[in-house]
Amino acid sequence: MTDDPRWLSARELQAWMRLEAVAELLPAALDHQLQRDADLSHYDYLVLAKLSEAPDRTLRMSGLAASTNATLPRLSHVAARLEARGYLTRTRAEDDRRATLATLTEEGWRKVVATAPTHVAEVRRLVVDRLSPEQVVQLDAIALAVLGALDPENRLEAQNPVAGA
Amino acid sequence: MTDDPRWLSARELQAWMRLEAVAELLPAALDHQLQRDADLSHYDYLVLAKLSEAPDRTLRMSGLAASTNATLPRLSHVAARLEARGYLTRTRAEDDRRATLATLTEEGWRKVVATAPTHVAEVRRLVVDRLSPEQVVQLDAIALAVLGALDPENRLEAQNPVAGA
DNA sequence: CCTAGAGGGTTGAAGCGTCAACCTTTGGCT
DNA sequence: AGCCAAAGGTTGACGCTTCAACCCTCTAGG
């Protein structure tokens, strides 16, 4: 490959390794809490939460996938399970029969309402309450900068290795 | 456990959602790059990298699991695959016959050396080079604070790059 | 029309992580 | 010595994500 890798400085390396550790441990911790308290994965919760905030508590699958930073197949499987558990329903869209609309049920709504407080408390315990107000602002800016590279303006799409024209 | 939910402020919520997105997308991006360029998962690479930095390129499984922020069963499965591919070997420890020592092979060493430059370049592209020097310091402090909650045992590691530059 | 192709979702197989059960070794206690 | 609990790892089953293949619908061209 290239001759000069431009290795990381000590500071950069340390920050990177700590971010790596957070990225590894944080999702697991959130999954654990939600699994224990609500029998939901973190992603399950995200799906229900996003629906609960949407107009008519309804979103298209593709939009829901984008707003939860997931691929469509993943959402499709998750939605199938959540539907089987009675938390949401899927229907074909009237205007575009290709599209599927996911709608939160009453039971799904109650699930979110019942789950949110403890989940937020956990988010506070693990992250927000450990940071100063300035650090919250800094984190916001840093995460935004990184997202710029992760999702180049492209609400998560593109699984093509080479250009598809 | 349910006195007052203490909801997040707008600022806190935004920072949190962005961190959530990063935690979701960053591991996937790194996995993709390593899978494509070296046929390794991000975690595979971490294991090989940690071994490459260790004395005699050897570590106990439990220590290796801790330093890669993973559970022992996970590491055990990964080590079995990496051993099958010839990148490391596992032997019983002399002093404590319960323990298993993982040792990087010559081929494993070569794999790390060959893989590191492009991986570092990707880390730069996605994270480090998108941040100002001040933000790198901020990120370090923020990640450390969060790790304090995620890792009660505080087994924070020292770092040592494979090569200098 | 009717056909090609793109957009939107779903499905099934394969791979990885988690959990619980298990085996072996070590160390403490009598 | 003898026993029992804990420490260190491994294994197998199960669940979730990914990838590729597929189906249906909409749109554009001829």
Side-chain angles (χ1 to χ4, degrees):
Chain A
M1 300 291 146
T2 58
D3 300 322
D4 186 348
R6 287 182 65 222
W7 198 253
L8 301 173
S9 72
R11 239 187 226 304
E12 290 169 340
L13 186 58
Q14 184 176 337
W16 164 245
M17 293 204 317
R18 282 181 174 155
L19 175 59
E20 235 177 350
V22 169
E24 185 75 44
L25 296 173
L26 186 53
L30 293 170
D31 268 335
H32 244 83
Q33 180 264 315
L34 283 166
Q35 200 71 57
R36 172 165 45 75
D37 297 345
D39 195 26
L40 292 174
S41 73
H42 182 213
Y43 185 73
D44 290 340
Y45 175 79
L46 254 182
V47 168
L48 299 182
K50 290 290 181 188
L51 283 178
S52 74
E53 298 165 6
D56 296 325
R57 295 175 192 170
T58 297
L59 285 173
R60 287 169 66 128
M61 292 294 281
S62 53
L64 185 51
S67 76
T68 54
N69 299 304
T71 60
L72 208 32
R74 178 182 185 184
L75 173 60
S76 188
H77 282 132
V78 169
R81 290 170 219 140
L82 292 176
E83 186 171 35
R85 293 170 66 179
Y87 294 145
L88 59 80
T89 59
R90 284 181 293 179
T91 56
R92 291 228 159 278
E94 299 300 329
D95 53 338
D96 185 342
R97 313 286 269 217
R98 295 172 297 182
T100 302
L101 298 178
T103 303
L104 199 65
T105 63
E106 248 323 286
E107 192 180 349
W109 171 260
R110 274 184 262 119
K111 185 69 172 180
V112 173
V113 170
T115 304
T118 53
H119 178 58
V120 171
E122 185 72 349
V123 170
R124 279 202 170 283
R125 188 177 72 79
L126 294 178
V127 181
V128 178
D129 284 354
R130 302 195 66 92
L131 305 179
S132 68
E134 300 80 38
Q135 285 182 313
V136 171
V137 175
Q138 292 167 4
L139 172 59
D140 188 37
I142 290 168
L144 180 60
V146 174
L147 281 179
L150 286 172
D151 189 9
E153 193 74 33
N154 201 355
R155 291 307 297 170
L156 188 69
E157 196 47 17
Q159 293 194 353
N160 47 348
V162 193
Chain B
M1 62 177 166
T2 57
D3 301 353
D4 182 341
R6 287 182 64 222
W7 195 250
L8 301 173
S9 72
R11 242 190 222 305
E12 289 169 341
L13 185 58
Q14 185 177 341
W16 164 243
M17 294 202 311
R18 283 182 174 155
L19 174 59
E20 237 177 347
V22 169
E24 186 75 43
L25 297 174
L26 186 52
L30 294 170
D31 268 335
H32 249 81
Q33 180 265 316
L34 283 166
Q35 199 72 55
R36 171 167 45 74
D37 296 346
D39 196 26
L40 292 174
S41 73
H42 179 39
Y43 185 73
D44 290 339
Y45 174 79
L46 254 182
V47 167
L48 298 182
K50 290 291 181 186
L51 283 178
S52 75
E53 299 165 8
D56 295 326
R57 297 175 192 170
T58 298
L59 285 173
R60 288 169 63 128
M61 293 293 282
S62 52
L64 186 52
S67 75
T68 54
N69 298 304
T71 60
L72 208 31
R74 179 182 183 184
L75 173 60
S76 188
H77 282 134
V78 169
R81 290 169 217 142
L82 292 177
E83 186 171 34
R85 294 171 65 180
Y87 294 145
L88 59 80
T89 58
R90 285 181 292 179
T91 56
R92 290 230 158 277
E94 299 301 330
D95 53 336
D96 185 341
R97 314 287 272 215
R98 295 172 298 182
T100 302
L101 299 178
T103 303
L104 198 65
T105 63
E106 245 326 283
E107 192 181 349
W109 171 261
R110 274 184 263 120
K111 185 70 170 178
V112 173
V113 170
T115 304
T118 53
H119 178 58
V120 171
E122 184 73 350
V123 170
R124 277 203 173 282
R125 188 177 74 80
L126 294 177
V127 180
V128 177
D129 283 354
R130 303 195 63 93
L131 305 179
S132 68
E134 301 80 41
Q135 284 182 313
V136 171
V137 175
Q138 293 167 3
L139 172 59
D140 188 38
I142 290 169
L144 180 61
V146 173
L147 281 179
L150 288 172
D151 186 10
E153 312 308 323
N154 244 2
R155 39 168 166 59
L156 299 177
E157 294 294 316
Q159 72 290 354
N160 219 323
V162 175

